[in-house]
Amino acid sequence: MTFTDAASSTPVAQLEEQIRPLPKVSLHDHLDGSLRATTLIELAGTIGHALPAEDPEELQRVFRRNAASGDLVQYLQAFEHTTAVMQTAENLRRIAREYVEDLAADGVLYAEVRWAPEQHLTGGLSLDDAVEAVQAGLNEGAESVAEADGVIVIGQILSAMRQHDRAPEIAELALRHRDAGVVGFDIAGPEQGFPPVNFAPAFTILAEAMFPTTVHAGEAAGIDSIRDALVSGRAQRLGHGVRIAEDITVTTGDDSRSKTGEGEEQLVEVELGHIARWVRDRQIHLEISPTSNLQTGAIATFAEGTPTPTLVDHPFDMLYQLGFNVGVNTDNRLVSGVTLSGELAALADAFDYSLAELADFQVNALESSFLGYEERETLTAVLLEAWQ
Ligand SMILES: [Zn+2]
């Protein structure tokens, strides 16, 4: 969801401006889906890579249109263009630096940026070179934010691509850089047909090394994928995980006990399956990306019967009300055409959330982050003070 100049005076846009300076937490945002359009165009020009549009706004429109096609595979096509310009240390470093600056400008206090090093080797970089280049850019970005009296703390999550078979190598790579900026491991790419169990050896390497994982699950595939992420992936968090809603049965009926006849209330019965119960009771954090979930069709089954689902059809609020540990994310800021402040404002508009509730989502995310306990507590105090 983006807001044009004409819409800048709408209540949602005003709320977005109110939210922007408040400290926020971003746990699920892909580096290769969140470049500046201007940078993508400039770098594509230097290597002769043809883009679907040469004007930044037009390019964003094309990406958003493809993203909104409701098909994950089409959604992923934009990444062929972005990764094309991310094959040298210099470009990775610049893109990582700008990434940090852009998040800081949106008020992000703590971020985990995910990306797949194996997608960035065609220019001759090694996996380690690529991770170091991104880390150098993240450090530069954090320094430039600090110079402007801002604060941002950021860690890398290394993703292994599900359609390839380099996961054990990426797991070892993450461990080599665990004391130099890498905080977690993920599997990304097509969920359908590439279940977490395929990557069990990598997850075992990580589990034995006491290294945390988050797994994309419950986006393009259903609850079996979530179960597998938790079992084979030992996932401490779920990337999206929205299709956990399919393991929740909600039945409504008239309240037959109502004797007065006035203000008859609807009885709502909610039944959680074993997987939903596990995710809620163990407080497994759900890295929810509302707009992306609409665009990829992740909530289509849940919103069955709604021809064009909008945010109000998203199970986010039901999950929140039922006590699930939910956070709000952007997934791919360029590709989906979103910002974290914009996503929060849109959610608040859809579900009538107060600022205190939006702050809850930030605390949920921070407490579920892969940051160490002491740092987490320090940042939580900073965050709460600003939101109160
Ligand atoms: Zn993702």
Side-chain angles (χ1 to χ4, degrees), residues 28 30 114 216 240 331:
H28 192 131
H30 295 257
R114 70 185 68 198
H216 277 84
H240 308 297
D331 206 12

Side-chain angles (χ1 to χ4, degrees), residues 25-56:
V25 180
S26 167
L27 296 186
H28 192 131
D29 191 47
H30 295 257
L31 182 65
D32 51 332
S34 303
L35 285 71
R36 290 179 187 168
T38 48
T39 298
L40 173 55
I41 291 166
E42 181 193 326
L43 296 180
T46 63
I47 59 164
H49 177 88
L51 293 171
E54 293 301 327
D55 171 71

Side-chain angles (χ1 to χ4, degrees), residues 241-256:
V242 286
R243 289 181 65 177
I244 195 68
E246 294 169 21
D247 199 32
I248 300 170
T249 315
V250 181
T251 26
T252 50
D254 291 331
D255 186 352
S256 55

Side-chain angles (χ1 to χ4, degrees), residues 29 59 65 72 76 79 90 93 96 123 129 164 172 213 249 269 280 295 298 305 308 318 323 326 331-332 373 386:
D29 191 47
L59 186 62
R65 199 166 51 228
L72 185 61
L76 294 174
F79 297 89
E90 192 188 353
R93 186 172 175 151
D129 292 339
H164 303 145
E172 298 284 6
T213 60
T249 315
E269 257 180 55
R280 193 216 22 206
Q295 292 172 335
T308 20
M318 177 186 77
V326 291
D331 206 12
N332 296 290
Y373 175 74

Side-chain angles (χ1 to χ4, degrees), residues 39-119:
T39 298
L40 173 55
I41 291 166
E42 181 193 326
L43 296 180
T46 63
I47 59 164
H49 177 88
L51 293 171
E54 293 301 327
D55 171 71
E57 284 181 15
E58 179 55 23
L59 186 62
Q60 280 177 304
R61 263 195 296 276
V62 172
F63 282 154
R64 255 200 317 276
R65 199 166 51 228
N66 287 341
S69 68
D71 178 72
L72 185 61
V73 175
Q74 198 166 337
Y75 181 91
L76 294 174
Q77 271 170 9
F79 297 89
E80 286 169 25
H81 297 297
T82 59
T83 53
V85 305
M86 300 173 75
Q87 302 299 332
T88 65
E90 192 188 353
N91 288 2
L92 281 174
R93 186 172 175 151
R94 168 177 170 180
I95 288 163
R97 171 171 50 77
E98 292 177 352
Y99 179 98
V100 176
E101 291 168 353
D102 291 351
L103 285 189
D106 195 33
V108 172
L109 171 68
Y110 178 73
E112 290 173 6
V113 53
R114 70 185 68 198
W115 66 294
E118 68 197 79
Q119 308 271 70

Side-chain angles (χ1 to χ4, degrees), residues 327-347:
V328 181
N329 297 276
T330 43
D331 206 12
N332 296 290
R333 286 177 288 113
L334 169 65
V335 175
S336 286
V338 295
T339 63
L340 188 52
S341 298
E343 288 293 88
L344 288 166
L347 266 190

